[in-house]
């Protein structure tokens, strides 16, 4: 129980890697906040963690929305008294190619993957400082360093996360 009484926010915590991360923290005693736009999957993961004896809640959050991020942080602080760990895991890709992908998709990927990481870091760090410190874990990708055709928005956002992480550190 190495995370007993720690409060952890996991963005994109409803499915895939985020689901596994949120469950692992809960198994180690953390109080977990699952932040995701997929309400059905978020509530399913919340129920699973609670059935396993963990403490958590799901909060519908679009990490690209500053208002949603503020509401997420407020809910975590109001429910658990603070934040100790943030896992910036939320991320999306975009179909198409350089020539066919609408600019709206480029903007959405950058907003979710990179701006969302920045917003969550900004507002969670303020709360972590009040508790004497904390940890921010940013999930990037090999796409930040290795080429793959037709992944320009995703790759650029993940490269941005690597640079942002370095700058925050």
């Amino acid at each position: 129980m190495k995370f007993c009484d720690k409060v952890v926010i996991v963005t994109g915590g409803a499915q895939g890697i985020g689901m596994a991360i949120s469950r692992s923290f809960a198994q180690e005693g953390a109080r977990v906040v699952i932040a995701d736009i997929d309400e059905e999957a978020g509530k399913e993961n919340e129920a699973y963690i609670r059935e396993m004896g963990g403490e958590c809640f799901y909060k519908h959050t679009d990490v690209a929305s500053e208002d949603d991020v503020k509401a997420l942080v407020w809910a975590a602080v109001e429910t658990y008294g603070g934040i100790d760990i943030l896992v910036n895991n939320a991320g999306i890709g975009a179909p198409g190619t350089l020539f066919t992908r609408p600019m709206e998709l480029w903007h959405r990927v950058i907003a979710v993957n990179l701006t969302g990481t920045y917003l969550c870091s900004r507002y969670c760090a303020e709360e972590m400082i009040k508790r004497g410190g904390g940890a921010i874990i940013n999930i990037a990708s090999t796409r930040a360093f290795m080429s793959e055709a037709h992944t320009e928005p995703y790759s650029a956002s993940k490269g941005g996360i690597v640079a942002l992480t370095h700058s925050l550190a």
Side-chain angles (χ1 to χ4, degrees):
M1 301 298 267
K2 60 182 165 182
F3 293 103
C4 189
D5 295 325
K6 297 293 183 188
V7 178
V8 180
I9 294 177
V10 181
T11 69
Q15 299 178 65
I17 293 169
M19 179 178 68
I21 291 168
S22 61
R23 290 178 179 184
S24 293
F25 271 112
Q27 287 173 347
E28 290 294 332
R31 292 175 285 177
V32 177
V33 181
I34 302 164
D36 206 292
I37 60 169
D38 187 332
E39 189 162 344
E40 182 180 347
K43 289 185 177 201
E44 285 177 13
N45 193 29
E46 174 188 51
Y48 178 88
I49 289 172
R50 288 182 176 195
E51 286 170 16
M52 296 296 111
E55 192 174 346
C56 75
F57 72 90
Y58 164 75
K59 176 72 174 150
H60 183 274
T61 307
D62 178 352
V63 296
S65 164
E66 189 170 10
D67 288 341
D68 275 17
V69 171
K70 287 178 180 179
L72 167 67
V73 170
W74 181 87
V77 171
E78 191 69 17
T79 303
Y80 295 134
I83 300 165
D84 299 293
I85 300 168
L86 166 65
V87 181
N88 279 312
N89 172 70
I92 61 171
T97 70
L98 179 66
F99 305 109
T100 64
R101 184 181 304 106
M103 283 307 298
E104 293 80 25
L105 289 179
W106 166 272
H107 292 298
R108 182 66 181 156
V109 171
I110 297 299
V112 170
N113 298 6
L114 184 55
T115 304
T117 297
Y118 177 83
L119 288 171
C120 290
S121 297
R122 175 184 177 184
Y123 290 106
C124 286
E126 290 176 352
E127 295 301 324
M128 290 175 185
I129 289 168
K130 292 175 185 176
R131 288 168 76 96
I136 298 174
I137 301 165
N138 293 331
I139 306 295
S141 169
T142 58
R143 286 303 135 250
F145 305 106
M146 297 171 19
S147 298
E148 182 178 334
H150 313 303
T151 64
E152 299 87 6
Y154 183 81
S155 297
S157 70
K158 294 301 182 171
I161 290 171
V162 171
L164 176 61
T165 302
H166 185 265
S167 180
L168 289 172

